Amino acid sequence: MKRRNFLKISSIVFAASLASGCVANCSHTKETETTETVLQDVPKQEIKSDPQPEPEKVTEAPAPKQEAKATEASFTTPKPDPKPKEEAKAEPKKEEPKPAPKKEEPKAEPKKEEPKPAPKKEEPKKEEVADEEYTRSVAQMAAGQSVDVATFNKDKEAVLALINELNSVMKEQNYKEWLNYLDEESKTYWSNKSNLKKAQKRLPVKGLTLATLEDYFKYIFIPSRQGNEMDEIRYETESSVKAVQIRKDEKGNYAGDTVYYYLRKTNGIWKLHLPQM
């Protein structure tokens, strides 16, 4: 009985020690081991003593709750550095190169008013020109004869083409080729020596002799016609025309004709005709 009571007392003491916070550093473990050893060494003797009342069970007081302390690593407010970090020194601003001063552009001289060109004279329309030329071309035709505009245009084209070919012949003084452009009447008349002598007397250059038709070609035909351009034709009859160079006055108006060639149409072909004396 005594041993049991002792054990109860020991357990109560142990519980009290736990309640008082003696658990730290494991000291309570050692004391418990020591107490149990002592109890085991006590000889089993019956000790007579007055029965003592059992001690009241002490209710173990709950261990005081330890407030959880926040770890410094997670909740501690970082302390400001005693020495503020030196602020980085601002680099001095690079001075941008100043733009070169704009050169003052020379002031434009006032434009000189150019003299206005004289108003151009209104040129007559082609239709009007054609009508006027056609009227001049048929004005000297023999009575009872006429040609229409289409025939006039065709004849003028053929005559001017023939004269252009004659210009090349005269430039080369090609007598034989020139004979191909002459009508038969002209060849016969100017091959007569008496007719050549009459023409010789009228030459502006004295001392020249006209003995043949070739002399007429070299000394009369070429000098009097070479270098002149023909402009229009003038009808004498339906098959006889004159190739002329027109003259104009100071105002540019028509003032007359200079005749250089006579041509006749034989079998639909225009031939050169030399006028007789």
Side-chain angles (χ1 to χ4, degrees):
M1 284 295 290
K2 289 181 179 180
R3 188 178 180 182
R4 239 180 237 177
N5 291 334
F6 185 79
L7 290 172
K8 288 181 179 181
I9 292 169
S10 298
S11 59
I12 292 169
V13 171
F14 179 71
S17 65
L18 289 174
S20 63
C22 295
V23 182
N25 299 322
C26 299
S27 62
H28 64 281
T29 305
K30 293 180 181 181
E31 289 177 0
T32 304
E33 291 177 356
T34 306
T35 304
E36 288 180 356
T37 305
V38 172
L39 290 175
Q40 289 178 1
D41 294 337
V42 176
K44 296 180 181 181
Q45 294 179 0
E46 294 182 1
I47 301 172
K48 294 180 181 181
S49 62
D50 295 334
Q52 295 181 0
E54 294 181 1
E56 295 180 0
K57 293 180 180 180
V58 180
T59 306
E60 295 179 1
K65 294 181 180 181
Q66 295 181 358
E67 295 180 1
K69 294 183 179 180
T71 57
E72 292 181 2
S74 59
F75 294 98
T76 305
T77 305
K79 295 180 181 180
D81 294 338
K83 293 181 180 181
K85 293 180 180 180
E86 292 183 1
E87 296 181 358
K89 294 182 179 180
E91 295 181 359
K93 292 183 179 180
K94 295 180 179 180
E95 292 185 2
E96 297 181 358
K98 295 181 180 180
K102 293 182 179 180
K103 295 182 179 179
E104 293 185 0
E105 297 181 358
K107 294 182 179 180
E109 296 181 359
K111 293 183 179 179
K112 295 180 180 180
E113 293 184 1
E114 296 180 358
K116 295 181 180 180
K120 293 182 179 180
K121 294 181 180 180
E122 293 184 2
E123 297 181 357
K125 296 180 181 179
K126 289 184 179 180
E127 294 179 358
E128 295 177 357
V129 172
D131 291 341
E132 291 178 3
E133 182 179 344
Y134 171 75
T135 302
R136 290 194 298 266
S137 296
V138 300
Q140 299 175 3
M141 288 187 72
Q145 296 195 15
S146 64
V147 294
D148 56 22
V149 176
T151 303
F152 158 73
N153 291 329
K154 185 178 179 181
D155 288 342
K156 178 184 176 182
E157 183 179 357
V159 168
L160 294 182
L162 184 147
I163 293 172
N164 284 334
E165 293 174 6
L166 281 173
N167 288 333
S168 299
V169 172
M170 289 186 289
K171 187 176 181 180
E172 295 173 0
Q173 295 187 359
N174 191 338
Y175 170 70
K176 290 183 179 180
E177 185 66 23
W178 178 69
L179 291 175
N180 294 327
Y181 290 89
L182 283 179
D183 63 358
E184 293 301 322
E185 184 179 339
S186 297
K187 290 178 183 178
T188 302
Y189 181 86
W190 288 105
S191 295
N192 190 321
K193 292 183 179 181
S194 60
N195 294 330
L196 290 171
K197 285 182 179 181
K198 291 179 184 179
Q200 181 178 326
K201 293 177 182 179
R202 297 184 181 181
L203 289 175
V205 180
K206 302 300 179 180
L208 294 176
T209 302
L210 299 178
T212 63
L213 182 57
E214 185 175 0
D215 293 336
Y216 178 92
F217 170 68
K218 290 181 179 179
Y219 301 126
I220 294 178
F221 187 84
I222 292 177
S224 61
R225 293 168 177 85
Q226 193 172 23
N228 296 304
E229 294 182 1
M230 302 302 103
D231 301 314
E232 299 179 8
I233 62 174
R234 300 288 181 262
Y235 281 95
E236 294 178 321
T237 64
E238 294 175 356
S239 59
S240 176
V241 299
K242 295 180 289 187
V244 302
Q245 186 178 53
I246 63 173
R247 298 190 305 272
K248 294 183 179 181
D249 59 15
E250 294 178 356
K251 295 181 180 180
N253 299 322
Y254 172 74
D257 302 328
T258 301
V259 181
Y260 286 98
Y261 297 94
Y262 291 86
L263 299 103
R264 290 182 179 177
K265 185 163 55 176
T266 304
N267 299 325
I269 299 174
W270 288 99
K271 290 283 188 175
L272 182 64
H273 177 71
L274 301 177
Q276 298 178 5
M277 295 182 67

